[in-house]
Amino acid sequence: MSKFDNDEAPMTQQEMQEALAINEDEILKALTGQAQYEHRTETVEVSFGNAKFAFRIRPLSEKEWDKCRERNTKYSKNRRLGGIRVPESTDTTGYHSDLIYTATVDEDRAKLWDNKVFWNATGALTGRDMVDKLIPYAGKKQAVIERIEALSGYNDEDQEQYEEAVKN
């Protein structure tokens, strides 16, 4: 008995093309599907004083994460580097509020963060300000951020699976 008896035979060119065609159809369905993330939402419950409220969050794309980071990072030009813009500081509080605001499902965002009655009562100027008003504690915000990260795929693979995928 050879040591290669249990190994699978390599795919033929035709088998690879058929597998690609199957995957291509699935990918096209996913790309042209209406609201890709609609089915991946999670409800977050928060207590604020004696009141409790809930809102739904969705996964964020990489571009959405970057936009939130960009909006909350202060840049300056470095003369030593030929005037290149370099990050000077990041407003962590604003960044976390921006992530929560962006990840909130549109319907809930309108009712909670963009509620003009709440804005007038608290002096908030934006929906992101309302996130700060209703979730003022860093630990509670961090817990919501971790749930957004999990929905967005940051916790999908453990390190061993990741290394195996990178090898292949």
Side-chain angles (χ1 to χ4, degrees):
M1 202 183 233
S2 161
K3 67 178 182 177
F4 298 106
D5 285 347
N6 293 332
D7 290 349
E8 292 181 18
M11 291 178 83
T12 65
Q13 185 69 23
Q14 182 180 358
E15 290 173 332
M16 285 195 303
Q17 287 177 342
E18 289 172 5
L20 179 60
I22 292 169
N23 290 337
E24 187 176 274
D25 290 341
E26 293 301 315
I27 291 169
L28 283 172
K29 286 178 188 174
L31 286 172
T32 57
Q34 180 184 8
Q36 300 174 36
Y37 305 118
E38 238 175 51
H39 65 283
R40 294 187 64 200
T41 61
E42 188 175 316
T43 301
V44 177
E45 292 182 11
V46 178
S47 56
F48 177 72
N50 293 333
K52 287 188 177 189
F53 62 93
F55 59 96
R56 291 168 294 161
I57 55 174
R58 63 172 180 80
L60 294 177
S61 69
E62 188 173 8
K63 283 186 179 187
E64 289 172 314
W65 281 94
D66 279 347
K67 283 181 185 177
C68 291
R69 184 185 46 77
E70 285 283 327
R71 282 192 293 258
N72 292 284
T73 301
K74 184 177 179 182
Y75 293 90
S76 63
K77 289 187 178 184
N78 188 321
R79 292 180 191 161
R80 288 185 227 146
L81 297 175
I84 295 175
R85 269 180 23 135
V86 293
E88 188 175 301
S89 65
T90 299
D91 174 12
T92 306
T93 305
Y95 177 55
H96 287 171
S97 295
D98 206 358
L99 288 172
I100 293 169
Y101 179 83
T102 304
T104 302
V105 173
D106 291 341
E107 181 183 325
D108 293 349
R109 185 184 311 142
K111 291 178 184 176
L112 193 59
W113 312 131
D114 293 337
N115 187 326
K116 303 292 185 197
V117 174
F118 291 169
W119 288 18
N120 292 333
T122 61
L125 300 175
T126 66
R128 289 164 185 84
D129 289 344
M130 278 311 304
V131 173
D132 282 335
K133 302 279 187 193
L134 290 172
I135 311 175
Y137 300 113
K140 288 184 179 184
K141 264 191 194 173
Q142 187 60 41
V144 176
I145 297 298
E146 288 171 4
R147 291 173 77 177
I148 295 168
E149 287 174 345
L151 274 174
S152 300
Y154 282 99
N155 299 331
D156 279 354
E157 299 178 359
D158 64 13
Q159 190 63 26
E160 187 177 314
Q161 288 174 328
Y162 172 75
E163 289 173 2
E164 186 63 31
V166 171
K167 285 179 188 177
N168 294 329

